[in-house]
Amino acid sequence: MRTDGVTKHAVVIAGGGPTGLMLAAELALAQVDVAIVERRASQEVAGSRSRGLHSRSLEVLDQRGVVDRFVSQGQAVQNVAFGQAHLDLSDFPTRHNHGLALMQERFERILAEWVGELAVPVYRRCEVTGFTQDDTGVDVELSDRRVLRAKYLVGCDGGRSLVRKAAGIEFPGWDASISYLIAEVEMTGAPEFGIRRDAKGTYAMGKLEDGRVGVVLREEQVVTGEAPTLEALREGLIALYGTDYGLRGAKHLSRFTDMTRQAASYRDRRVLLAGDAAHVHSPMGGQGLNLGVQDAVNLGWKLAQVVRGISPEALLDTYQAERHPVAARALRKTMAQTALSRGDARMDAVRETLAELLRMDGPRKQYAAMMSGLDIHYDLGDGHPLLGRRVPDLDLVTADGPRRVFHLLHNARPVLLNLGEPGALDVTPWTDRVRRVEARYSGAWELPVLGTVSPPVAMLIRPDGHVAWVGEGTDHGLREALTRWFGPPRST
């Protein structure tokens, strides 16, 4: 909508990468007027980025009914590892007991197609250059001199986030201790494929499509802020392998480090952060894209309810309360993996000891669940083990036929799932916001790591798939949970 020369949206998202696209989809599903500002002309990704999704991210896409779009373009793999110890998820109680090998560019293109179907406008070839916020909204300045007016601005604009800097949000953490060159190259010689390790770090070469070679080289000195060159790559190959193997050119060439930082706050009044704008770390473990997608799914429904006047602004405080600890844990684990990548005799001993531990069933399950995102537990108080955790995707029997739990979440609305006496739970004052489903389920209830848990009689499931209330035979606490998460009851 345009008013007095200013285009208005309820929410403006700075950045159209994985996090920004997923957030836009969540808001669009909630009938919120959202727009993306993206500097790229298309979803083409420069350099080598994420190469896959973890199990919980696949579940999140399944909750929205779009996971098949991604699975059809990728390959199911056991891609969870810690310190070079591979962790098998194949015995986990989830339909997606594996990861998905899928290049980030392809992931973004599929996601962008979905966002296009949801009619989200994208301002391409421009970026946010500044903003001013007041009590009712944010004036967002673009590089093409246009101004957008929004109720909220969300920075999904990466580790160097202008939104974060302009908001004055601190970004504490640790500077880089190592830097790497990563490239897809052409060589006339016969490279030595495989992973190598020395006292300073890891380096490797692997065969790619069309005869190209993937190269990852640790650098002799830490380099930050400089664009890598083909000559630097050549020098790195000679230093580590004794030859450049007839290096002819590079299709992609970039640099990454293990710099580790996290925003002190994910929100400054009407400005929020998600994805790499809120946290950066080493790519070891493949956490980055997955953390961002799950940030978006946690924030989207909450922001939508505040924008639509369903919930008070205080609901947004739960975004940081829930997601900041998840990212903080991931940052520390990626720091540990960077240390484990070094190859002196002492670290070899640590890595071998850790590998022995992770071959044991208990530690293997605990770390596999953590790295895949399946163990996330938001602190919603004491109670049933399901409270605050992801809901299992059960096969239900309903009056309308068989339904999976995830099918009930396709439209990103909360669900009160009643597995007890039909009609026993009254949510009449919230029926405009919460869908009530009567169903039966007779199988076991299993959670990753925890195993079998006692079957609940009813559950209140948030749009992000986490359980907000568990009923064990009464409606005790239900009205309080409904009000906390989905606003006050509708007056009659």
Side-chain angles (χ1 to χ4, degrees):
M1 181 177 69
R2 289 185 63 86
T3 303
D4 299 328
V6 176
T7 304
K8 293 188 175 183
H9 298 284
V11 178
V12 169
I13 297 171
T19 304
L21 289 168
M22 192 71 206
L23 179 59
E26 291 292 290
L27 290 166
L29 286 170
Q31 307 301 309
V32 169
D33 173 20
V34 56
I36 297 172
V37 178
E38 170 55 44
R39 60 178 177 77
R40 294 174 293 171
S42 69
Q43 291 304 136
E44 182 177 351
V45 174
S48 182
R49 301 290 180 90
S50 169
R51 294 176 178 270
L53 303 175
H54 286 311
S55 178
R56 180 56 187 158
S57 295
L58 293 173
E59 286 193 340
V60 162
L61 295 167
D62 199 350
Q63 288 173 184
R64 297 298 178 258
V66 296
V67 71
D68 289 345
R69 303 185 186 200
F70 301 89
V71 170
S72 65
Q73 299 294 313
Q75 181 178 358
V77 290
Q78 292 294 338
N79 61 343
V80 176
F82 193 87
Q84 282 72 59
H86 289 279
L87 307 174
D88 189 3
L89 275 71
S90 61
D91 60 348
F92 272 44
T94 169
R95 296 179 197 273
H96 304 284
N97 55 359
H98 53 77
L100 185 72
L102 184 69
M103 297 296 288
Q104 180 171 328
E105 182 167 337
R106 189 63 192 144
F107 175 74
E108 283 195 27
R109 288 185 184 278
I110 300 169
L111 203 53
E113 289 170 4
W114 179 37
V115 168
E117 293 169 13
L118 295 171
V120 174
V122 181
Y123 295 86
R124 290 199 176 273
R125 299 186 180 89
C126 63
E127 51 193 315
V128 173
T129 57
F131 59 84
T132 304
Q133 59 174 318
D134 55 41
D135 290 341
T136 60
V138 188
D139 290 318
V140 184
E141 302 157 17
L142 306 187
S143 55
D144 62 5
R145 299 188 177 182
R146 281 185 290 185
V147 175
L148 306 178
R149 176 71 175 175
K151 292 182 179 179
Y152 288 89
L153 169 65
V154 186
C156 300
D157 51 342
R160 298 183 178 90
S161 172
L162 180 141
V163 172
R164 185 189 66 241
K165 294 173 183 176
I169 296 174
E170 295 183 4
F171 204 41
W174 295 267
D175 291 334
S177 69
I178 191 168
S179 59
Y180 290 87
L181 294 173
I182 183 168
E184 297 178 11
V185 304
E186 295 179 357
M187 294 174 165
T188 58
E192 300 175 53
F193 296 137
I195 298 175
R196 296 186 179 188
R197 188 178 293 110
D198 62 18
K200 291 190 174 182
T202 300
Y203 50 102
M205 287 191 285
K207 188 175 182 180
L208 300 176
E209 299 174 356
D210 303 326
R212 287 177 288 115
V213 177
V215 179
V216 179
L217 301 180
R218 63 106 182 130
E219 295 188 279
E220 193 66 27
Q221 303 294 330
V222 178
V223 182
T224 61
E226 295 181 17
T229 64
L230 191 64
E231 188 56 34
L233 182 66
R234 189 186 311 279
E235 291 174 0
L237 284 166
I238 293 172
L240 293 172
Y241 291 92
T243 176
D244 67 359
Y245 296 103
L247 177 66
R248 288 178 17 184
K251 180 179 179 183
H252 295 301
L253 175 58
S254 58
R255 174 180 282 116
F256 69 87
T257 75
D258 68 332
M259 182 178 72
T260 305
R261 297 186 179 278
Q262 185 174 21
S265 173
Y266 282 15
R267 176 182 168 220
D268 174 50
R269 294 169 290 162
R270 291 183 172 270
V271 176
L272 299 110
L273 305 175
D276 289 352
H279 38 73
V280 296
H281 49 84
S282 164
M284 290 186 180
Q287 297 295 294
L289 181 150
N290 294 273
L291 282 173
V293 166
Q294 291 164 44
D295 282 349
V297 174
N298 184 284
L299 174 61
W301 65 275
K302 298 173 180 177
L303 184 55
Q305 289 185 178
V306 172
V307 166
R308 295 175 61 194
I310 294 170
S311 294
E313 197 172 298
L315 181 63
L316 296 177
D317 295 337
T318 68
Y319 167 56
Q320 169 159 340
E322 293 179 352
R323 293 303 299 172
H324 194 280
V326 172
R329 182 178 67 164
L331 265 57
R332 296 195 68 82
K333 298 311 179 195
T334 58
M335 290 172 68
Q337 296 218 71
T338 298
L340 288 166
S341 73
R342 299 184 174 111
D344 62 22
R346 290 174 176 81
M347 194 51 70
D348 285 344
V350 172
R351 194 165 40 252
E352 289 168 8
T353 301
L354 182 62
E356 290 175 3
L357 288 171
L358 292 178
R359 281 194 288 271
M360 299 177 186
D361 217 33
R364 188 263 305 179
K365 287 183 177 179
Q366 181 175 337
Y367 269 67
M370 175 183 64
M371 298 300 293
S372 63
L374 291 171
D375 76 333
I376 292 172
H377 178 208
Y378 299 138
D379 184 6
L380 305 188
D382 297 330
H384 193 281
L386 280 164
L387 188 63
R389 289 187 166 88
R390 52 174 277 288
V391 64
D393 185 24
L394 309 174
D395 289 306
L396 305 173
V397 177
T398 74
D400 297 323
R403 292 287 186 278
R404 287 168 45 200
V405 170
F406 284 5
H407 288 167
L408 307 178
L409 298 171
H410 282 185
N411 62 0
R413 288 187 62 196
V415 174
L416 177 64
L417 179 59
N418 181 26
L419 301 165
E421 182 182 346
L425 301 173
D426 181 18
V427 293
T428 302
W430 288 271
T431 51
D432 58 326
R433 286 156 270 170
V434 179
R435 178 185 178 190
R436 186 174 68 181
V437 176
E438 310 281 353
R440 289 180 288 111
Y441 178 73
S442 57
W445 289 73
E446 287 188 84
L447 294 175
V449 182
L450 295 183
T452 303
V453 299
S454 61
V457 177
M459 292 185 298
L460 180 62
I461 308 168
R462 306 189 322 188
D464 60 0
H466 283 260
V467 178
W469 172 84
V470 178
E472 300 181 83
T474 73
D475 64 355
H476 177 71
L478 177 57
R479 291 181 65 87
E480 291 81 358
L482 287 164
T483 301
R484 177 185 182 187
W485 296 110
F486 309 118
R490 181 183 57 199
S491 57
T492 56

